[in-house]
């Protein structure tokens, strides 16, 4: 199983400390001042091939590499602050965050997208934001009880 809550928690705490802004889930309660949002945008997908299946003691273990993307958006009162906060967030994934994710939750940063204007009009108001995407890889490990065939009837032809 993917430790999603551990991954989310590490990203939120690390970015919040590094950027000095609150980091919230997209479509969450809006804080006062500048802030960052995140969204696990496209789910978890197998990268390629089949899972590795092993058995040990009474467990069947399936391991496969999965990829996922998280979108980060920076909100603030002016464009320079929005871009600066997004740049600081990107830097965290290139340095401290890259190492922390790999060592603490077994997640590798694969690709960090470029920062782009992601302004959106909601009714008559504009949400001014700058954002980028980050692709990650991790290992999905699923354990289940090993089922033994105790007895069977064999028919000869």
């Amino acid at each position: 199983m993917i430790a999603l809550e551990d991954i989310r928690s590490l990203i939120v705490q690390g970015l919040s400390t590094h950027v000095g802004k609150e980091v919230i889930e997209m479509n969450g309660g809006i804080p006062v001042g500048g802030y960052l949002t995140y969204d696990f945008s496209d789910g978890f997908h197998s990268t390629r091939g089949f899972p590795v299946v092993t058995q040990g003691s009474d467990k069947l273990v399936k391991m496969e590499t999965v990829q996922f993307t998280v979108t980060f958006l920076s909100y603030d009162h002016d464009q320079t602050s929005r871009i600066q906060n997004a740049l600081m967030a990107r830097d965290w994934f290139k340095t401290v965050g890259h190492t922390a994710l790999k060592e603490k939750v077994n997640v590798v940063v694969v690709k960090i997208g470029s920062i782009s204007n992601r302004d959106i009009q909601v009714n008559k108001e504009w949400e001014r934001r700058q954002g980028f995407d980050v692709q990650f890889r991790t290992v999905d490990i699923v354990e289940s009880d090993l089922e033994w065939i105790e007895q069977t009837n064999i028919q000869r032809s």
Side-chain angles (χ1 to χ4, degrees):
M1 185 168 140
I2 298 169
L4 182 59
E5 181 55 33
D6 294 340
I7 296 167
R8 186 202 68 77
S9 179
L10 181 64
I11 290 171
V12 168
Q13 290 172 2
L15 278 178
S16 181
T17 301
H18 186 76
V19 178
K21 301 288 181 183
E22 191 170 348
V23 179
I24 62 169
E25 190 169 2
M26 191 178 291
N27 300 322
I30 299 174
V32 176
Y35 60 96
L36 298 171
T37 64
Y38 67 92
D39 182 45
F40 287 84
S41 48
D42 68 349
F44 294 80
H45 306 285
S46 298
T47 54
R48 62 177 126 152
F50 296 97
V52 174
V53 180
T54 60
Q55 68 183 49
S57 62
D58 289 339
K59 296 289 181 187
L60 183 68
V61 181
K62 293 182 182 180
M63 295 184 298
E64 69 178 320
T65 303
V66 294
Q67 185 167 304
F68 61 99
T69 302
V70 182
T71 299
F72 297 92
L73 298 173
S74 171
Y75 297 79
D76 213 326
H77 62 286
D78 66 288
Q79 184 175 11
T80 304
S81 296
R82 289 190 298 271
I83 293 171
Q84 184 63 37
N85 293 338
L87 286 168
M88 289 174 64
R90 280 184 85 237
D91 289 347
W92 184 80
F93 286 109
K94 292 177 183 178
T95 57
V96 178
H98 186 275
T99 304
L101 286 163
K102 186 168 76 171
E103 291 177 355
K104 294 180 180 175
V105 290
N106 196 28
V107 172
V108 176
V109 175
V110 176
K111 181 180 176 184
I112 304 170
S114 59
I115 295 171
S116 62
N117 181 334
R118 300 194 181 187
D119 291 351
I120 186 171
Q121 187 174 11
V122 180
N123 296 323
K124 294 181 181 182
E125 299 291 321
W126 281 89
E127 279 189 5
R128 304 290 182 189
R129 55 197 192 176
Q130 298 288 323
F132 63 96
D133 295 330
V134 181
Q135 284 184 353
F136 300 96
R137 268 195 206 124
T138 190
V139 178
D140 185 13
I141 301 172
V142 179
E143 288 186 3
S144 59
D145 291 332
L146 191 58
E147 297 178 17
W148 297 96
I149 299 173
E150 298 288 335
Q151 192 174 32
T152 185
N153 293 328
I154 299 176
Q155 297 178 349
R156 301 187 188 264
S157 45

